[in-house]
Amino acid sequence: MLSQSTRLLRGASASRVYALRASTRTQSRGYAKEASTSNLVNIVEVGPRDGLQNEKGIIPVDVKVELIERLALAGCQNIEAGSFVSPKWVPQMAGTAEVITRMTRLPDVHYAVLVPNQKGLDNLNTLLSAYNASSSTSDAETIPPPSDEISIFTAATDAFTKANLNTSITESLAKLRPVARAALDRGLRVRGYVSVVVACPYSGQVDYKKVREVAKELSEMGCYEVSLGDTVGQGTPTQVAEMLEEVKKSVPVEMLAGHFHDTFGTAIANVFTALEHGVRTIDSSVGGLGGCPYSPGATGNVATEDVLYALRGSKYHVAGSEYGQGTIDLDKMTEIGWWISERLGRESVSRAGKALRARKIREAEMDKDGEIRAKL
């Protein structure tokens, strides 16, 4: 049986799809130089990948598919849909090929997948080749491919790359160059991640010059955007500001994104610090899902709901599709955050999500009480 989100997605008319595709061309994230000087903020929703990868149990493919489809219907235009990593090391990402093949895809949404190495890219290419071979011309015009973007990653310390990738920083970058080149040659967008840009769980305080060097390497190998991750989640606004000012010496701020975990409760403050320094793309996770298997003690990513709520009434506007009426719908994201959290057997950790849900429950109870009194 199709989920409600799937039925809604598949009910879109062809003309609407073409309109959405045209809109996307004019609003493409990462390529517009004016992004950092405007107040338009782009959100990269990382819940389906970075959010779920730290879960203890195996998440069914059906749940992942519905999560991604719901996020698209809430207005998200950039969704990290999965990862082509070995299920031996990250079992939660098993089934990514099935997920991105089965999910109903909107033309105005970029569905990125994390690719750690050439083998991961080969797996994606096999999938894309099968899609191209089976798609008619009309399908290609209205139905996007399973993915049009890959993410590659490394870190700012050798200790972390050793724990995560079993290589040094230099070795990891050498392995990523041919992967990025091959992806670009195929017409895929390439986005880069730098982990532990403030503090490393193994070696402590990070040298921001090393963050700058690694970010520059990723940009030079063709990444249209480099996401700077406070993986441990202990960065303060002062530290984030210092790190960004150092990185900006070699990488244009238009190419930078912020990725903040909320371990010490500073993620929202760090988001605003990044925005003040010209960054206009923020990674976040619905329901505050996440963590990092290779960063002991790190909690989830900053909750998308918390970012959306914090930006309300500010000079910044969050970009989104027409499904979110030109932004990302906070109410829908709150519902999604609670839905996926309950499927995982816990409550949403989003502060805004908790408050908004409590208000909704209270208002429903008051309405019910009013109806009862009216009948007396």
Side-chain angles (χ1 to χ4, degrees):
M1 180 179 293
L2 296 176
S3 66
Q4 181 183 9
S5 59
T6 299
R7 291 195 299 271
L8 287 169
L9 284 166
R10 293 184 180 176
S13 66
S15 60
R16 190 180 195 187
V17 168
Y18 284 122
L20 285 170
R21 183 182 291 277
S23 175
T24 303
R25 292 194 183 105
T26 62
Q27 298 178 15
S28 179
R29 175 180 57 84
Y31 297 101
K33 285 291 185 180
E34 65 271 15
S36 69
T37 56
S38 75
N39 291 325
L40 188 67
V41 177
N42 300 290
I43 298 292
V44 176
E45 174 53 58
V46 300
R49 197 281 301 177
D50 198 25
L52 295 181
Q53 73 172 6
N54 207 41
E55 292 300 313
K56 295 180 180 179
I58 302 299
I59 300 97
V61 167
D62 288 345
V63 173
K64 295 178 184 177
V65 169
E66 185 168 355
L67 173 60
I68 294 167
E69 291 179 344
R70 284 184 176 222
L71 291 168
L73 286 173
C76 295
Q77 293 181 297
N78 306 282
I79 302 173
E80 204 174 37
S83 175
F84 281 92
V85 296
S86 170
K88 175 183 177 181
W89 301 112
V90 188
Q92 298 84 351
M93 288 296 100
T96 289
E98 185 179 359
V99 169
I100 64 175
T101 302
R102 283 179 49 188
M103 67 189 187
T104 304
R105 304 179 294 276
L106 289 176
D108 65 333
V109 179
H110 295 291
Y111 300 95
V113 290
L114 191 74
V115 172
N117 49 36
Q118 186 62 49
K119 182 178 180 180
L121 181 61
D122 290 343
N123 290 337
L124 175 61
N125 283 336
T126 298
L127 191 70
L128 294 177
S129 295
Y131 164 81
N132 291 335
S134 63
S135 298
S136 65
T137 303
S138 59
D139 286 340
E141 287 294 327
T142 60
I143 303 175
S147 177
D148 67 346
E149 178 175 329
I150 68 165
S151 301
I152 57 177
F153 65 96
T154 185
T157 69
D158 284 319
F160 195 84
T161 55
K162 185 68 176 177
N164 196 353
L165 302 168
N166 198 31
T167 65
S168 66
I169 297 173
T170 300
E171 292 168 339
S172 72
L173 289 169
K175 291 179 179 179
L176 289 176
R177 287 190 190 95
V179 175
R181 185 68 267 159
L184 291 168
D185 288 345
R186 191 183 176 97
L188 296 171
R189 292 153 50 102
V190 180
R191 188 174 193 251
Y193 279 103
V194 184
S195 296
V196 294
V197 298
V198 175
C200 174
Y202 307 107
S203 57
Q205 178 65 40
V206 173
D207 182 354
Y208 300 149
K209 291 182 180 178
K210 178 58 68 174
V211 180
R212 171 168 58 84
E213 292 171 4
V214 174
K216 181 182 178 182
E217 289 273 0
L218 289 173
S219 67
E220 290 179 345
M221 64 176 76
C223 292
Y224 75 87
E225 190 168 83
V226 178
S227 180
L228 305 174
D230 179 21
T231 313
V232 180
Q234 72 178 52
T236 65
T238 298
Q239 291 174 313
V240 169
E242 292 174 352
M243 180 271 296
L244 286 172
E245 286 306 303
E246 181 64 33
V247 175
K248 284 159 61 177
K249 293 177 182 178
S250 296
V251 183
V253 72
E254 294 88 359
M255 297 179 66
L256 300 177
H259 184 112
F260 304 108
H261 287 241
D262 204 27
T263 312
F264 285 80
T266 56
I268 287 295
N270 290 337
V271 166
F272 273 93
T273 297
L275 294 176
E276 290 167 2
H277 283 260
V279 172
R280 288 296 180 269
T281 300
I282 300 296
D283 298 352
S284 61
S285 178
V286 65
L289 298 174
C292 178
Y294 300 96
S295 181
T299 58
N301 298 278
V302 63
T304 307
E305 303 95 304
D306 293 354
V307 175
L308 295 175
Y309 185 82
L311 293 178
R312 274 187 164 183
S314 72
K315 64 182 180 180
Y316 303 108
H317 174 76
V318 175
S321 73
E322 69 171 27
Y323 289 100
Q325 297 185 346
T327 185
I328 299 176
D329 191 304
L330 175 57
D331 290 334
K332 289 181 180 178
M333 293 299 289
T334 298
E335 292 175 3
I336 297 168
W338 278 98
W339 169 78
I340 187 60
S341 297
E342 289 170 351
R343 293 302 298 263
L344 297 173
R346 61 167 182 268
E347 292 187 347
S348 169
V349 300
S350 165
R351 293 176 176 84
K354 288 181 178 180
L356 291 170
R357 192 190 203 203
R359 178 190 294 175
K360 186 175 181 179
I361 292 173
R362 184 171 64 251
E363 290 174 348
E365 290 174 346
M366 292 176 64
D367 289 342
K368 184 176 180 180
D369 184 59
E371 292 175 2
I372 294 174
R373 289 178 180 275
K375 294 177 180 179
L376 297 178

